[in-house]
Amino acid sequence: MPRVFSFLSYLLLLVVMGVALFATFLIAPAERVQGDVYRLLFVHVPSAWLAFLAFGIVAIGSALYLIRRSPRWDRLAVASAEAGVLFTTLALATGSIWGRHVWGVWWQWDPRLTTTLVMWFIYAGYLALRAYIDEPESKRRMSAVAGIVGIFSVPLVWFSVEWWRSLHPTPSVTSPGGGLPRDMLLTLLLCVAAFTVLYGIVVRQRMLLEQASSLASDLTERLHAQQERSE
Amino acid sequence: MTEMHFLFFGFGVVWLGVFSYLFYLSGRIRSVRDELDSLSSQLDAAEPSDKS
């Protein structure tokens, strides 16, 4: 059953990603001012949205772990944090490339860019924290606290373009009157769907890895105990 | 660089990033799976001597 589920999820990813790429390059029209380079929007925005979603899931998983003390929620949190760091990296990289074309520089200490970089460091720190604590229970408890505290960086990134003067444009999809034309919006939604399927697959695989790693630790302890008994 | 260069550079970075991560993840899964196999066989080998 898990193999069938994996196969179907990869098939879904292939189909949705194929349709999204088709729409990106062949359906969405070129933008009047920026021309074709604006198509970076279709990878930049989904990466940023997925980063927000991933860090939201980290906070939910962390809170549920502290309430229920089930390692399953901790596995969800760490899997989502790793995916979130990946998508934040992609959002920063594509934003930098797009910025180089539009603003003429690879990086600006602009509020949106700076807060996104801070968010990246917070979740990279979350992953580093886990790597440095050996005792499983303390690792889960401390990273759950970090996962909940870290979520405060998400509204900071989201509202940074409204709270401070920023080169980065305000959200064009959610702002009233500033929406995208229909074909662009449809393409963007398709790309968000494709990236969400990718996120789901990455999180599931990462959760399975975490489960297998803790099983390996348990087996190692059992083996050591057995070796000590036999000596 | 023209706008098409920036566009393909951006998409290239995204796909390179995604595939590198998936490759890294599958490598880690493979190594944990190997570790589990080796631990299971070590435990199986240790159990009979434990009983005796």
Side-chain angles (χ1 to χ4, degrees):
Chain A
M1 194 65 188
R3 280 187 179 215
V4 175
F5 183 78
S6 280
F7 173 75
L8 288 177
S9 55
Y10 280 110
L11 189 68
L12 178 68
L13 176 66
L14 205 68
V15 171
V16 184
M17 202 55 95
V19 174
L21 279 172
F22 178 80
T24 297
F25 289 103
L26 297 170
I27 291 181
E31 208 261 343
R32 211 155 26 121
V33 179
Q34 293 187 34
D36 282 310
V37 80
Y38 97 95
R39 289 177 208 278
L40 283 170
L41 171 95
F42 301 123
V43 282
H44 176 69
V45 172
S47 300
W49 280 0
L50 257 298
F52 292 152
L53 174 76
F55 297 144
I57 301 280
V58 174
I60 292 169
S62 300
L64 285 171
Y65 173 74
L66 289 179
I67 295 165
R68 305 220 171 136
R69 299 282 162 166
S70 161
R72 208 175 82 191
W73 297 116
D74 175 68
R75 287 200 290 270
L76 175 67
V78 66
S80 195
E82 211 168 276
V85 169
L86 169 74
F87 286 114
T88 310
T89 308
L90 296 181
L92 282 168
T94 51
S96 172
I97 294 164
W98 197 357
R100 175 67 183 81
H101 182 73
V102 178
W103 303 330
V105 286
W106 293 104
W107 183 262
Q108 269 285 326
W109 291 103
D110 165 89
R112 172 57 72 85
L113 277 68
T114 309
T115 50
T116 307
L117 186 65
V118 168
M119 183 174 77
W120 186 92
F121 273 113
I122 288 172
Y123 286 94
Y126 169 95
L127 295 174
L129 175 78
R130 293 186 69 95
Y132 280 100
I133 304 175
D134 285 331
E135 206 278 304
E137 178 54 34
S138 321
K139 180 199 284 193
R140 290 175 190 143
R141 203 178 49 244
M142 288 184 73
S143 50
V145 173
I148 293 169
V149 173
I151 193 65
F152 291 103
S153 62
V154 170
L156 197 70
V157 174
W158 181 263
F159 290 112
S160 59
V161 284
E162 289 172 21
W163 291 343
W164 298 289
R165 281 201 332 188
S166 175
L167 282 171
H168 194 283
T170 51
S172 54
V173 178
T174 51
S175 60
L180 291 169
R182 202 180 67 98
D183 284 349
M184 288 184 188
L185 182 63
L186 194 71
T187 305
L188 182 60
L189 293 176
L190 266 169
C191 291
V192 169
F195 271 64
T196 308
V197 176
L198 175 66
Y199 164 78
I201 289 172
V202 163
V203 167
R204 187 170 175 274
Q205 292 299 319
R206 185 63 185 79
M207 282 178 79
L208 290 174
L209 172 67
E210 197 66 19
Q211 191 175 14
S213 298
S214 57
L215 180 63
S217 303
D218 291 348
L219 288 182
T220 309
E221 273 180 27
R222 255 179 65 189
L223 188 66
H224 285 162
Q226 231 171 33
Q227 283 167 345
E228 277 172 17
R229 271 206 309 272
S230 61
E231 275 168 13
Chain B
M1 284 212 296
T2 67
E3 62 183 59
M4 290 311 269
H5 285 121
F6 281 106
L7 181 64
F8 286 106
F9 182 33
F11 273 82
V13 165
V14 169
W15 290 114
L16 187 72
V18 168
F19 282 111
S20 303
Y21 179 71
L22 290 177
F23 186 69
Y24 159 76
L25 197 58
S26 67
R28 276 169 75 187
I29 290 171
R30 206 174 312 122
S31 103
V32 172
R33 204 174 285 164
D34 291 347
E35 191 186 343
L36 277 175
D37 288 344
S38 142
L39 284 167
S40 301
S41 54
Q42 282 182 64
L43 272 169
D44 287 345
E47 263 165 13
S49 66
D50 215 32
K51 280 172 194 163
S52 64

